[in-house]
Amino acid sequence: MAEASTLSLSGALIDEMRAAPHQADREMAALHLLDWVGCSVAGAATSVGHAFAQAAGTRAHPLSLAGLGVAERAWALGCFGSLLEMDDVHRAALLHPGPVVMPAVLACCTPENATLAPEAALRGYEAMIRLGRAVGPRHYAYFHNTATCGGLGASVAAAFMLGLDDQRTQWAIAHAMSVAGGLWQCRNEPGATKHLHVAEAARRGVQAALVAKAGVVGPLHVFEGPQGFFPALASDGRPDALLEGNLWAMHETSFKPWPACRHAHPAIDAALVLRDKLAGRQPASIRIETYADAVLFCDCATPTDPARARFSLQHAVAVALTDGPPQIAAFEQPALDLPRYAALRDRTSVAVDATFTARYPAHFGARVRVQTGDDTFEIRIDDAWGDSENPMDAAAVIRKFEGLCSWAGIDAPSTRAIQNAALDPEGAAQLLPLLAALSPNDPKNERTF
């Protein structure tokens, strides 16, 4: 490494990731790849997925990427993985690495470098998560961490897939971080801009790596320089946190079992336990107590479209109490006005709980209390299913994948072939051809625009 580069945070970050992953790390990378593929196959079957694919220039169907360049492939693949809100999440970093990093890895994948895919994913997750942990609350108040930090993860993953040396990897990081962005205003108004953030972060990282590979120099002090990322966009952040933590942070990244914002998951888990206790008795009132960000993002008593339904504590709990484990269909437009859900939403109140807020974001917790006549039932969940303290095992992740493929209309042989390729350490190069060969689907979720 050049002497100047050793003085920069980007160079030190590369040094932090020199250790080779173990077999267990590679297996975890394969499981997260499978999870992202399932989320993307299902997301591509929605009407928003079809619209994004049209914008990306795909031809036969959303996952057919023939004719697209490497960076454009990353953009197209990045459109789908977050659409149903089932993408993986890192709690402390407050971001979703899978739908950014995995498209970057696959976009750069060839039969010659396919064996690098698991390590590239691990490195991309590591860099993206470390930055997410470092940016601070003021940044998160205005910026979507998945978008602003995602370019770093995608550029590091792409640089590894493309075989860039340390200097060019730092240039790739510099290019990606110089154009970081993603404003949170999108969560305050209808639309799918949030998912555009994800696709753009994937594209930005891959394009940055391609530019660096071509020899274009970038600022090595892009993080800590006087007009760099931290002074400009994360003034209360901790730049040194980029160099903290044990490899690999992917192991701290949570899987999401339910088709709703992660902030709603602890309340869903509590409602599922309560459903068994209620034994068919109807709630007269429901109270959800959780941390402040969950209320900020997900207090939506009357969702008017599927996107808002997935960010509604009231709707998510109504679905879980009524039907059990939430299915995608319960968040689609036809379900939103069903009397059985609307009645429970109307009886639900939401409140911030100081104890859960103090433990967040290290722990995502909630308490749900149900009154039925003279009886009161209450369940507290400290960690949602899929978090490190309450993990989903590999079998549960595979069942989730199979369910997503089934919902998208993918036949059983194709589902098995995709699963085998994703879980094969050398199978990454097979994934894009397998996805491209899928039969086109009629778009679902017609009202998600």
Side-chain angles (χ1 to χ4, degrees), residues 104-119:
V105 171
L106 282 194
C108 298
C109 191
T110 67
E112 291 72 31
N113 68 7
T115 57
L116 301 178
E119 186 167 351

Side-chain angles (χ1 to χ4, degrees), residues 20-32:
H22 299 296
Q23 181 60 27
D25 304 321
R26 294 176 179 276
E27 290 172 357
M28 181 60 73
L31 199 61
H32 278 273

Side-chain angles (χ1 to χ4, degrees), residues 224-379:
E224 73 276 25
Q227 292 177 295
F229 178 86
F230 279 94
L233 299 183
S235 58
D236 66 338
R238 296 193 309 113
D240 289 347
L242 275 173
L243 309 182
E244 296 175 358
N246 299 318
L247 301 175
W248 298 93
M250 182 183 280
H251 291 283
E252 306 164 1
T253 303
S254 304
F255 293 103
K256 292 171 61 178
W258 316 125
C261 174
R262 186 58 170 180
H263 293 315
H265 281 218
I268 291 172
D269 292 345
L272 291 173
V273 178
L274 282 169
R275 184 173 187 268
D276 291 336
K277 292 182 176 294
L278 291 174
R281 284 173 284 191
Q282 284 300 304
S285 67
I286 303 165
R287 183 171 177 83
I288 303 169
E289 298 170 350
T290 187
Y291 50 91
D293 264 357
V295 175
L296 177 66
F297 278 78
C298 296
D299 182 5
C300 179
T302 311
T304 56
D305 59 65
R308 292 305 303 146
R310 287 189 273 271
F311 280 79
S312 170
L313 283 162
Q314 293 92 330
H315 185 74
V317 166
V319 169
L321 286 174
T322 303
D323 299 339
Q327 303 299 309
I328 294 172
F331 296 84
E332 294 180 34
Q333 193 68 41
L336 303 189
D337 296 326
L338 291 176
R340 67 178 186 269
Y341 299 150
L344 291 187
R345 292 197 305 258
D346 290 344
R347 300 171 198 166
T348 300
S349 62
V350 173
V352 173
D353 180 273
T355 301
F356 289 128
T357 300
R359 300 179 77 241
Y360 170 84
H363 302 274
F364 282 27
R367 180 187 298 106
V368 178
R369 184 182 300 115
V370 173
Q371 186 83 29
T372 61
D374 295 331
D375 296 322
T376 300
F377 301 86
E378 180 180 301
I379 293 294

